[in-house]
Amino acid sequence: MAVVEIRTPLTKKDRKKLKAGDHVRISGIIYTARDAAHKRMIEALEKGLPLPMDFTDEIIYYVGPCPAKPGEIIGSAGPTTSGRMDTYTPELLDRGLAGMIGKGNRSERVINSMVSNDAVYFACVGGAGALLQDCIKSVEIIAYEDLGTEAIRKIEVKDFPAIVVIDTKGTNLYETERKKFTNKLWI
């Protein structure tokens, strides 16, 4: 299977070319944020305060990296369950967020918002954090340092492996692949 090389920022034109099932290698800048950072961003918006950054055409990686060992720039950096961000995600998509990287399915509300905003959801293999950390070339905390591992980080990645699980049309690999095996007899 061919691998699609993509660079960030991820424009709408480039997002629309991606299809569910595509294997990708992402290079460029992506941002990390998990539950606590998402909650804080939405609370800031509700108070009329700005977000700590402009998410237009950017990708958020749902990860809370482990502390770096001596000589490393980041520790193990595997994806967390994306559904925990579903409450907050549509607001960020409406503000230009291009894509998300995590693991697990997304809610119907998030998928509908992805379609409306031409966004993409990528999945990585859980448990591969030690391998994924090797794709991270630089790290900078840009907001909410008090959240520790859940602070928002700007990370530079090179050839970060992922799979397009939900594309801009809403095609969902979690659904299409399950259907292939429904009502099959396993011997």
Side-chain angles (χ1 to χ4, degrees):
M1 177 177 289
V3 173
V4 180
E5 304 286 336
I6 60 176
R7 292 212 43 88
T8 63
L10 190 56
T11 66
K12 279 191 179 191
K13 180 180 176 184
D14 290 336
R15 296 190 305 252
K16 288 181 175 187
K17 293 177 187 175
L18 297 171
K19 303 294 177 224
D22 285 349
H23 289 234
V24 300
R25 295 288 183 272
I26 304 167
S27 295
I29 300 298
I30 61 177
Y31 295 86
T32 70
R34 280 184 42 154
D35 321 35
H38 277 74
K39 182 176 190 250
R40 192 172 288 180
M41 286 189 285
I42 299 306
E43 287 172 346
L45 290 172
E46 289 170 350
K47 294 176 184 173
L49 301 172
L51 292 174
M53 57 166 295
D54 179 3
F55 283 105
T56 302
D57 296 335
E58 302 296 351
I59 296 173
I60 291 179
Y61 180 26
Y62 300 141
V63 62
C66 293
K69 293 178 184 173
E72 295 179 346
I73 60 167
I74 197 167
S76 182
T80 196
T81 304
S82 303
R84 296 201 313 256
M85 275 53 75
D86 280 5
T87 301
Y88 314 111
T89 299
E91 181 69 31
L92 297 177
L93 290 167
D94 288 345
R95 292 174 179 275
L97 181 64
M100 302 133 303
I101 304 170
K103 67 179 182 181
N105 212 345
R106 306 309 300 266
S107 70
E108 185 176 339
R109 181 172 170 247
V110 169
I111 294 169
N112 289 339
S113 184
M114 289 174 57
V115 171
S116 296
N117 292 289
D118 295 316
V120 181
Y121 174 51
F122 304 95
C124 324
V125 176
L131 298 173
L132 294 170
Q133 86 182 70
D134 291 341
C135 298
I136 299 171
K137 304 305 176 190
S138 68
V139 179
E140 174 188 358
I141 294 177
I142 63 162
Y144 313 142
E145 188 170 1
D146 62 301
L147 296 178
T149 62
E150 292 203 34
I152 296 178
R153 288 172 170 76
K154 175 182 176 180
I155 62 175
E156 180 184 0
V157 296
K158 173 117 176 67
D159 297 328
F160 189 93
I163 298 171
V164 177
V165 178
I166 305 172
D167 60 28
T168 60
K169 303 246 186 284
T171 306
N172 184 342
L173 211 59
Y174 289 123
E175 292 176 3
T176 60
E177 295 306 299
R178 279 189 187 121
K179 286 179 184 175
K180 290 180 183 178
F181 297 100
T182 302
N183 298 323
K184 297 223 179 206
L185 177 63
W186 290 91
I187 299 176

